[in-house]
Structures are given as structure tokens and as C-alpha cells.
Amino acid sequence: MHSNFNDWFLEASITLRDDQLKNRWEGVEEISKKATKDDIINLVKIFYSMPVDKNYKDTFAETFIKIDAAFSRKNEIELAVLAGAVLAQIAIKYNLYSFCELLVRAAFFGNRRPAVSGIYQVIGQTQLDDMITIRESTNDEKNIQTSSMTLAKALETSGNAWTPDVANGFNGYAKTIDASIKELNDAVNKICKANKVYFEDSQLLWWLTAGWSKDLRCSYKLVNSLEACLIIGKEAAELVRIYPGPYSIEGVLYKVVEYCKKNTAKLDFSEVISQIDGEWKKRYNEKYDIPNMLELLPVTAALAYSENTESKNEWIHKYNHEACISVDEIKCAPFEYAVQMYFEVLAQKCYFDL
């Protein structure tokens, strides 16, 4: 059981007995170890108190009812806490941790908040730790085990006859070779991973140094931050191949945004969306199209809803209702929009790659 499990319930003003906590954690473990990437999408929706498929929600609640018949499927707040606990456990322990971390982060925007901030902080810290581990582990060194001369010595002393000593020597020699091959294979895999990290870093460095937009086909110095902030986040994410990405990415995005003209302190969200070129928006919506995830990705949803609308702000009403975010309340710096777009694109790429 996570050491903060009880604290998460207390933050949501829910008090449970020790036996109830134990039962709830049993359900958390059962769900987290079987979770798929599509389950994670639904879990994030529950965690953020957003509309979710009824069948999934009933199945989720049923896991806890089987363990504790007194559990109520109608307690929306407790379900949200438990969904968050499952997400935290996946982030800490299971193979889908990167997608889980990225989607929880991407869903956090504007006035949308998760059920328990403590869970969000745990997942965020786990994501940062994973980012650091990817880069720092490439510097580890390990010597490959070499085979002993046991077999050669046994053959020498036996006059090359097949004796029990030779048989034992051969057995030991074979085990040593097998262990060496395994270590060599691990080392080669580690080198390949390190090369991917170095390639990713070099790509980001070239992009940062050049200050050139692939999508706009011009220097970022020629465009203003209102037009470029979302494109900056997208282009950075498309250079990342190892999830959950580099821990220094926000510094990279900050530098690129600084290249732009008119780096206004705060921009209205609706204005940022309306300034995006229609053709670019169409290409983006065609490339990144995961319908069940759309409402969890605030910028991506806005780009989808705003395409082909007759008036500038026609999409806002539908967006406010379905994405559970008030557009009029969102006012961020260009850098913040770039970071948000980066995590949304990276979460979608991670989903496609799983």
C-alpha cells in the first residue's frame, strides 16, 4: 500500500477504517496490474471528474464491490480518488507508466483540476524521476564477466581424456559463457538505448540552435509568439522518441519561444486557437486523432472543435461543455501554451507507439 493512500482520502474529506483501506488497496492493485492504455484514458477521466463510458465506470466500481459489498458505486468522489490511486500505482510500478504520466500531465490545464492534488504530485514526481533516470543511466559502466580457464586446466591435468573433472569443468565453462552472453546482450541493449538518447538530444539541440520551424518553413524570429507557441510545442514533441521525454525540455521550449517576436506576457486561449492557420490545423487534426482521448487534451480538443466553424468563437460553447474547461478563464504565457502542447502531442505519440 502506498504510504500516502490514507492521506489521499483525507484530502477528499473521506475517512476510512483500516480494514476498508486494505480492501480498497486490494482493488487498486488488481486494476493497476491489468490496465491497458485504453483503461488509462478512462481512469484519467474519472480522476478529473469528467464524463466517462458507463460500462467502464460500472466495471471499475464492481472490482471494489466484490472485495467490499458495502462499497457504493454512487460515491463519485471516492471513485475519483481510487482512479487516481490506480494511476499512481501504474506510474510507479507497471509497464504503461510513461503513457500514464504523460496523459495525467496533459489533462491538467486551465481551471480543470484532479480529484486529489496529492496524487497528481506523486505522479508528477515519478515522471520527473523517470525522465532523469533515462538520461543518467546512460553513464553507468559495467565490466563483462569473462570465462575462467577451468575447462583448459581440467583437460591439461587429465591428458585430454573425458573424466568427471573434465565434465565438471565443461559444465562450469558453459555456465560462464552463458552468463557472459547475457551480460553482453544487456550491454548492447543499453548501448542502443543510450544512442537513442544521444540522437534525441542532438535533434533537440539542432532545433534549438537553428531556431527554425519545420512546419512554418521559416525562422521563429520572423513570427510572433501568438502564432508560434503551439507549433513550438508540437515540433519539440515530434523530436522525442524516448518516453516520458527529457527532463530539461521546458528550458528548451522557453528558449525557442524567446526567439519569437511580441513575446506577450499572457494570451487568451481563444485568441491563440483562432490565430492558428487553417491548413496547419487541418493537418494536425488528421494526424492526431484519438477520439476517446480528445476531451482530455485541452489544446488538441480546441483545435478539433474550432476547425470549419463559421464564426470565430462558435466552437467555445461545445468545448466548455465537453472538455469541462472554461475557455474565457484561460490566459497563459506563450511558453505555458508551448509546454501544454508538447505534453499533449507526446501523450498521443506514446499511445500510438504502445
Side-chain angles (χ1 to χ4, degrees):
M1 184 185 299
H2 194 282
S3 58
N4 295 342
F5 192 48
N6 186 46
D7 294 337
W8 295 340
F9 283 103
L10 294 176
E11 185 180 334
S13 301
I14 298 173
T15 303
L16 297 177
R17 302 186 308 270
D18 287 347
D19 61 314
Q20 291 176 312
L21 282 172
K22 183 179 177 181
N23 289 337
R24 300 294 188 273
W25 187 256
E26 184 179 338
V28 167
E29 280 280 20
E30 182 177 336
I31 295 169
S32 59
K33 67 185 178 183
K34 297 178 181 177
T36 66
K37 61 182 182 180
D38 291 309
D39 291 336
I40 289 173
I41 294 174
N42 287 316
L43 288 165
V44 175
K45 288 181 178 179
I46 298 173
F47 183 45
Y48 278 92
S49 304
M50 296 176 65
V52 68
D53 179 76
K54 185 179 183 302
N55 290 333
Y56 180 83
K57 198 170 187 178
D58 288 344
T59 301
F60 178 73
E62 193 62 37
T63 302
F64 298 97
I65 292 172
K66 285 190 298 184
I67 300 169
D68 181 356
F71 182 86
S72 173
R73 69 175 72 244
K74 296 180 180 179
N75 192 333
E76 299 286 343
I77 297 176
E78 185 170 3
L79 287 173
V81 176
L82 289 168
V86 172
L87 291 167
Q89 188 68 354
I90 293 171
I92 293 168
K93 190 173 178 181
Y94 293 103
N95 289 337
L96 295 175
Y97 67 92
S98 290
F99 177 60
C100 173
E101 294 163 357
L102 289 167
L103 190 57
V104 169
R105 169 59 184 82
F108 188 95
F109 184 70
N111 60 337
R112 182 197 284 165
R113 292 293 181 269
V116 177
S117 62
I119 296 175
Y120 179 83
Q121 290 165 8
V122 166
I123 295 173
Q125 184 59 53
T126 304
Q127 181 183 32
L128 179 60
D129 293 342
D130 290 336
M131 288 175 170
I132 292 172
T133 299
I134 288 170
R135 259 66 191 172
E136 300 303 326
S137 63
T138 59
N139 297 321
D140 294 345
E141 293 184 7
K142 185 176 181 180
N143 293 323
I144 304 298
Q145 179 180 343
T146 56
S147 61
S148 68
M149 296 301 293
T150 306
L151 179 60
K153 289 179 180 179
L155 286 170
E156 182 181 344
T157 57
S158 66
N160 293 326
W162 187 260
T163 65
D165 287 341
V166 172
N168 290 334
F170 184 83
N171 185 51
Y173 183 77
K175 287 181 178 179
T176 303
I177 290 295
D178 186 61
S180 297
I181 291 172
K182 183 179 183 304
E183 288 184 14
L184 183 60
N185 184 61
D186 291 342
V188 169
N189 288 336
K190 194 168 185 178
I191 290 170
C192 290
K193 186 175 181 179
N195 284 338
K196 289 180 181 178
V197 170
Y198 297 144
F199 177 77
E200 180 178 289
D201 288 348
S202 67
Q203 292 290 93
L204 284 166
L205 183 59
W206 273 112
W207 179 70
L208 169 63
T209 304
W212 185 268
S213 171
K214 174 176 65 71
D215 287 6
L216 297 174
R217 298 182 182 179
C218 69
S219 169
Y220 278 116
K221 293 180 180 180
L222 300 178
V223 293
N224 64 54
S225 56
L226 177 63
E227 299 170 308
C229 56
L230 300 185
I231 295 173
I232 290 170
K234 170 187 172 288
E235 290 190 349
E238 290 182 337
L239 293 172
V240 173
R241 295 289 181 273
I242 303 174
Y243 308 109
Y247 58 83
S248 59
I249 191 62
E250 292 193 20
V252 173
L253 293 171
Y254 185 84
K255 287 286 188 182
V256 178
V257 170
E258 278 195 324
Y259 290 149
C260 300
K261 298 186 295 183
K262 299 180 181 177
N263 197 355
T264 312
K266 296 285 183 179
L267 300 172
D268 290 329
F269 184 43
S270 59
E271 189 178 5
V272 171
I273 297 300
S274 67
Q275 289 296 316
I276 293 295
D277 175 74
E279 283 301 313
W280 186 92
K281 190 183 296 184
K282 181 181 179 181
R283 290 194 301 273
Y284 178 85
N285 290 335
E286 288 174 350
K287 184 174 183 178
Y288 296 103
D289 181 20
I290 309 174
N292 192 38
M293 198 194 299
L294 185 62
E295 285 72 27
L296 286 173
L297 306 174
V299 176
T300 300
L303 292 170
Y305 290 166
S306 64
E307 188 182 1
N308 299 322
T309 54
E310 293 182 3
S311 63
K312 180 180 176 181
N313 295 325
E314 184 183 333
W315 59 276
I316 292 179
H317 177 72
K318 180 182 180 182
Y319 179 88
N320 287 347
H321 175 71
E322 297 191 9
C324 303
I325 293 179
S326 177
V327 171
D328 294 336
E329 295 180 16
I330 303 173
K331 203 177 180 77
C332 298
F335 161 70
E336 294 172 308
Y337 285 121
V339 171
Q340 179 62 29
M341 187 62 158
Y342 166 82
F343 280 113
E344 290 190 23
V345 173
L346 202 61
Q348 293 175 90
K349 287 180 69 225
C350 187
Y351 179 91
F352 288 133
D353 288 346
L354 288 174

